[in-house]
Amino acid sequence: MKPALRIALVGNPNCGKTALFNALTGSRQKVANYAGVTVERKEGALVTPEGQALTILDLPGTYSLRARSPDEVVTRDAVLGRLAGEVPPDAIVCVADATNLRLVLRLILELKAVGRPLILALNMYDIAQRQGLRIDLEGLARDLDLPIITTVATRRRGIGELVAQMVETATSLHTDVRASLWREPDGTALRDLHKEAQRLMRTHVHPPERPDTLTGRIDHVLLHPVAGIAVLLGLLFVMFQAVFIGAVPIMDLIDQGFAGLSDVVGQVLPHGWGRDLMVDGVIAGVGSVLVFLPQILILFLFIILLEDSGYMARAAFLMDRIMGGAGLHGRAFIPLLSSFACAVPGIMSTRVIDNRRDRLTTILIAPLMTCSARIPVYTLVIGAVIPNRTVLGVLNLQGLVMFALYAAGIGSALGISFILRKVFWRGQSEPFMMELPTYKAPNPANVLRTLMQKASMFLTRAGRIIMPLMVLVWFVSVFPGPPAGATGPAINYSLAGTLGQFLKPVFAPIGFNWQMTVALVPGMAAREVAVAALGTVYAVGGGGLSLAETLSHQWSLASGLAFLAWYVFAPQCVATLGVVKRETNSWLWPAIMFAYMFALAYGAALIVYQTARALGFG
Amino acid sequence: MRVPSDPPAGSDLLALSQARPGDRGIIVSVGQGMAQPGSGVDPEELERRLLEFGFVEGAHIEVLHEGAIGHDPIVVRLDDMRVALRRADAAEVRFQRDAA
């Protein structure tokens, strides 16, 4: 078989490039990272009816080859054929939204300077026709000196022609790659490119007779200073309801499934540490990752729908001033929102932020959003130490404390961001400029495909970090085993127990007894594991008192409140720290994150405990 | 940032940072170093970014929407596309306002 031809897809954001990539390659896609950078690399394969194999690379969207974000650097270097570990493409397909040609014409002029064989795919051609937009295809192709193919990716129209053109362009010009004349354009060069693009528009494109007015009418509501914010809040409310209530039945099912599985495995395998490793380490570890999957799927589904419909840019616009007050970029909104489910996908989605410092700020504060792993801890401790009574006539005291904990997380995140901006990274606010794309109905097949890719990425990435750590935490909680004739729970004699005893003096000023300190160690794996760990150290089980009842007898109100205050910050989630290491390619930022969150957690717990004691709740 | 309700008298030349929804016209200059220090990048870089988004001399522009707090950021129609930007960065764009 002939060697596969390598084709790269380039285009502006929102031009339907990914839909075209899906239409070309279907399910034969591989999603990975480019070597050494955290930029998503999407590659797909297809074979023409004549038996020619093609490899299609979907490069990140860009307005210009003058790269500013890590994503755009990848696109530029891939196009220029100087990306480490990548073979230069045999041909480049520039994908354009046929209804929005002006900016992409300028990009094409830059691409032409690169000198590689080039094809223009005019996508969303059906919408252009419906609007009565007339493009003189022959004239434009002659003027630009490149082949033009019209496509409708969502309806698979023009795909065959595009593939045939790819083969022809890549093979016939294969030996004729000119030396690149591209260099970074300055203001004058950009103006010249614009003039040329403008001339091409005037010569070959007849403006639409029936321009789209729907987007403008929708924007009158969705960008309205009052109505727009109301719609955004309503959407967020629905989203949170779906994430936190809709996911519960499936999460319970997964929990039960894993409980059943450990029962079965526990009965099948012979007694011994091998069985314990399987049941308490591996199965519990996999379960603790999978149990968050329903929430993360629902969250991702909302985000993909909002992004594909064109609303996300509007949300960033509406939130920009509010976020900007704390020194955050409007685009930080989505990662921070995701972090309410789990900081791991939140931190992964900070890649949409171009500027490095904006991105680092967002990464550093993402774990302060109250993630769902904290909910079991909050629920347990609130139930144990906060009386269930009504205050101020209508408010439930327990609910009020829960709300205060969420508010404390958000408030401290904004505060930290503000301090980072004003003290450490002064004057480094990035221009906020983004295109608001035309509204479109999301394509179900494309939404589903993106959802599956995001889900598998979360599972492999989080799984690779969380699984081994669960096993490690299990190990230190079990070894060494208790001496013969010991009466206390086994964990007291383990490494974790020893560590807890050793650290007790450190945590005494904030009102933590040694059991609480011991529970913090397994809580490293995932925050909600602290609940199970408290169960273990207090040797709960087999009738008698529930864990909440035990705690309410054993803990003072001051200690309970201090534990809650600690968990607002809770620096000890290793999965988050692992993802930060991956996304920043350095141990420096996870170290900084751990240090500052530890300091905040300790400080907050200290203040809460000492204040509560002074008020007589010790 | 403060938005004056009226442009300087006798002038139809307006910085985009001072425009209100409904204002429309043709861009006459981009990048005069008018942006305040609030913008983090140097003036030349800001000029190039504006140019890359299509803010170029001769382009048609119309302010469509503004944010709730401090009338910031703004959404403009720029030829056939819609772009959101902050007023601090929009100070670099000056346009000839059409008579209302």
Side-chain angles (χ1 to χ4, degrees):
Chain A
M1 199 162 119
K2 286 174 275 183
L5 295 170
R6 306 186 51 85
I7 313 289
L9 301 185
V10 187
N12 291 164
N14 311 307
C15 67
K17 188 165 55 63
T18 300
L20 188 66
F21 175 67
N22 287 342
L24 283 166
T25 60
S27 54
R28 283 152 301 178
Q29 297 184 3
K30 274 190 300 191
V31 183
N33 267 2
Y34 288 97
V37 285
T38 51
V39 176
E40 210 168 275
R41 180 185 190 281
K42 289 173 84 174
E43 189 184 82
L46 73 104
V47 180
T48 65
E50 293 77 35
Q52 172 65 54
L54 295 174
T55 310
I56 316 276
L57 192 60
D58 184 15
L59 291 170
T62 184
Y63 290 101
S64 153
L65 290 186
R66 200 175 64 82
R68 300 179 317 240
S69 68
D71 280 33
E72 292 175 356
V73 169
V74 162
T75 300
R76 180 195 64 200
D77 290 351
V79 163
L80 294 176
R82 63 184 192 201
L83 188 58
E86 295 283 334
V87 184
D90 296 313
I92 297 168
V93 175
C94 182
V95 187
D97 171 356
T99 63
N100 190 2
L101 275 178
R102 201 177 303 264
L103 286 191
V104 79
L105 282 175
R106 217 207 58 236
L107 178 64
I108 291 169
L109 295 172
E110 276 195 67
L111 287 171
K112 274 174 66 77
V114 171
R116 288 185 189 282
L118 187 62
I119 302 167
L120 172 57
L122 280 185
N123 195 30
M124 306 193 208
Y125 198 65
D126 55 336
I127 301 176
Q129 283 178 317
R130 215 177 308 142
Q131 291 181 0
L133 177 85
R134 288 205 307 277
I135 303 169
D136 170 16
L137 295 173
E138 276 177 34
L140 188 59
R142 204 168 40 233
D143 219 335
L144 285 172
D145 189 26
L146 50 79
I148 298 180
I149 308 287
T150 60
T151 57
V152 183
T154 47
R155 291 173 208 279
R156 305 192 50 82
R157 262 188 246 154
I159 302 301
E161 292 90 325
L162 180 59
V163 170
Q165 187 63 58
M166 285 174 178
V167 175
E168 193 191 319
T169 302
T171 47
S172 70
L173 295 176
H174 204 153
T175 49
D176 188 29
V177 177
R178 284 184 285 118
S180 172
L181 300 173
W182 182 85
R183 56 194 178 80
E184 204 176 288
D186 58 11
T188 318
L190 281 170
R191 284 186 173 86
D192 290 344
L193 290 172
H194 265 301
K195 270 192 203 120
E196 175 63 6
Q198 182 65 25
R199 185 190 68 78
L200 290 166
M201 283 294 281
R202 223 175 281 143
T203 320
H204 303 294
V205 182
H206 192 274
E209 286 156 10
R210 298 173 294 279
D212 162 67
T213 56
L214 183 66
T215 295
R217 276 178 291 157
I218 298 176
D219 272 348
H220 267 290
V221 180
L222 294 188
L223 297 184
H224 188 273
V226 180
I229 301 267
V231 170
L232 177 63
L233 292 178
L235 267 172
L236 294 185
F237 181 77
V238 171
M239 186 161 148
F240 272 81
Q241 289 292 310
V243 167
F244 290 111
I245 296 171
V248 167
I250 317 168
M251 292 174 78
D252 287 348
L253 220 62
I254 294 175
D255 247 357
Q256 286 162 13
F258 275 92
L261 184 64
S262 15
D263 279 353
V264 172
V265 173
Q267 279 159 15
V268 172
L269 291 181
H271 262 273
W273 69 265
R275 187 189 76 168
D276 294 346
L277 172 66
M278 270 310 285
V279 172
D280 300 330
V282 176
I283 295 178
V286 175
S288 73
V289 177
L290 276 184
V291 78
F292 289 109
L293 192 61
Q295 285 192 333
I296 284 164
L297 280 180
I298 294 176
L299 192 76
F300 277 150
L301 178 66
F302 269 92
I303 290 175
I304 295 167
L305 286 176
L306 294 181
E307 227 149 49
D308 283 10
S309 64
Y311 183 73
M312 209 49 108
R314 271 88 180 171
F317 164 77
L318 290 170
M319 292 304 294
D320 181 66
R321 195 56 196 255
I322 300 167
M323 312 275 296
L328 286 164
H329 196 272
R331 288 198 193 176
F333 174 62
I334 295 311
L336 294 181
L337 198 63
S338 310
S339 301
F340 280 103
C342 174
V344 172
I347 288 167
M348 274 158 55
S349 60
T350 58
R351 291 175 185 186
V352 296
I353 304 169
D354 304 341
N355 180 273
R356 191 178 134 79
R357 288 186 169 173
D358 280 330
R359 187 164 169 235
L360 281 172
T361 310
T362 312
I363 288 176
L364 284 177
I365 64 168
L368 294 179
M369 301 292 132
T370 300
C371 66
S372 51
R374 287 183 177 100
I375 296 174
V377 180
Y378 285 177
T379 315
L380 172 73
V381 178
I382 288 176
V385 301
I386 307 290
N388 188 8
R389 61 182 163 87
T390 305
V391 287
L392 302 172
V394 286
L395 297 170
N396 173 284
L397 186 61
Q398 292 187 337
L400 207 61
V401 171
M402 187 68 129
F403 176 80
L405 293 170
Y406 269 83
I410 298 170
S412 54
L414 295 180
I416 295 290
S417 156
F418 187 80
I419 291 168
L420 281 175
R421 278 290 166 203
K422 295 293 165 195
V423 180
F424 296 103
W425 292 335
R426 288 161 57 131
Q428 281 291 328
S429 97
E430 188 78 347
F432 170 82
M433 244 181 262
M434 56 198 295
E435 186 181 355
L436 303 186
T438 313
Y439 288 107
K440 283 179 208 75
N443 178 276
N446 286 332
V447 170
L448 202 65
R449 175 156 290 135
T450 315
L451 185 62
M452 288 304 131
Q453 283 168 352
K454 296 253 183 220
S456 80
M457 210 145 74
F458 168 77
L459 283 182
T460 48
R461 244 175 249 165
R464 248 180 247 161
I465 299 166
I466 296 175
M467 261 290 298
L469 288 166
M470 282 298 284
V471 173
L472 180 71
V473 165
W474 168 82
F475 180 83
V476 299
S477 310
V478 171
F479 286 97
T487 48
I491 192 172
N492 297 3
Y493 304 95
S494 68
L495 283 170
T498 314
L499 193 63
Q501 293 284 7
F502 175 73
L503 288 174
K504 199 174 68 173
V506 178
F507 287 93
I510 63 172
F512 285 18
N513 57 28
W514 73 265
Q515 288 98 331
M516 291 157 98
T517 313
V518 171
L520 293 180
V521 180
M524 299 279 296
R527 293 185 177 98
E528 84 279 11
V529 176
V531 171
L534 282 171
T536 315
V537 285
Y538 282 109
V540 181
L545 294 173
S546 77
L547 181 55
E549 286 164 336
T550 311
L551 294 188
S552 71
H553 288 121
Q554 301 260 349
W555 290 12
S556 67
L557 178 62
S559 287
L561 288 175
F563 199 70
L564 288 174
W566 172 274
Y567 256 85
V568 169
F569 303 102
Q572 74 274 30
C573 172
V574 270
T576 304
L577 296 171
V579 165
V580 173
K581 151 76 176 65
R582 258 198 84 109
E583 294 290 316
T584 59
N585 253 331
S586 133
W587 281 110
L588 174 68
W589 297 105
I592 288 176
M593 179 185 274
F594 184 82
Y596 103 79
M597 287 180 74
F598 188 92
L600 280 181
Y602 195 91
L606 182 70
I607 292 169
V608 166
Y609 180 70
Q610 297 298 345
T611 311
R613 256 171 48 120
L615 295 172
F617 297 114
Chain B
M1 111 179 251
R2 206 172 62 86
V3 182
S5 51
D6 289 308
S11 164
D12 289 61
L13 207 59
L14 195 62
L16 183 57
S17 51
Q18 313 205 328
R20 307 303 308 265
D23 284 346
R24 62 171 80 190
I26 291 178
I27 296 180
V28 293
S29 74
V30 179
Q32 301 287 317
M34 304 297 287
Q36 290 163 359
S39 191
V41 293
D42 64 75
E44 201 207 340
E45 172 65 21
L46 182 58
E47 176 187 341
R48 286 202 283 185
R49 293 206 189 177
L50 285 163
L51 286 168
E52 277 165 355
F53 261 88
F55 291 93
V56 63
E57 289 82 358
H60 290 262
I61 196 165
E62 179 183 355
V63 181
L64 299 175
H65 304 278
E66 56 185 16
I69 305 169
H71 308 284
D72 196 27
I74 54 174
V75 174
V76 300
R77 184 202 305 281
L78 185 61
D79 288 326
D80 339 301
M81 56 189 273
R82 290 173 177 76
V83 179
L85 77 165
R86 289 184 186 147
R87 285 186 184 270
D89 303 320
E92 291 292 284
V93 178
R94 299 177 80 77
F95 70 105
Q96 182 80 41
R97 185 164 55 168
D98 291 355

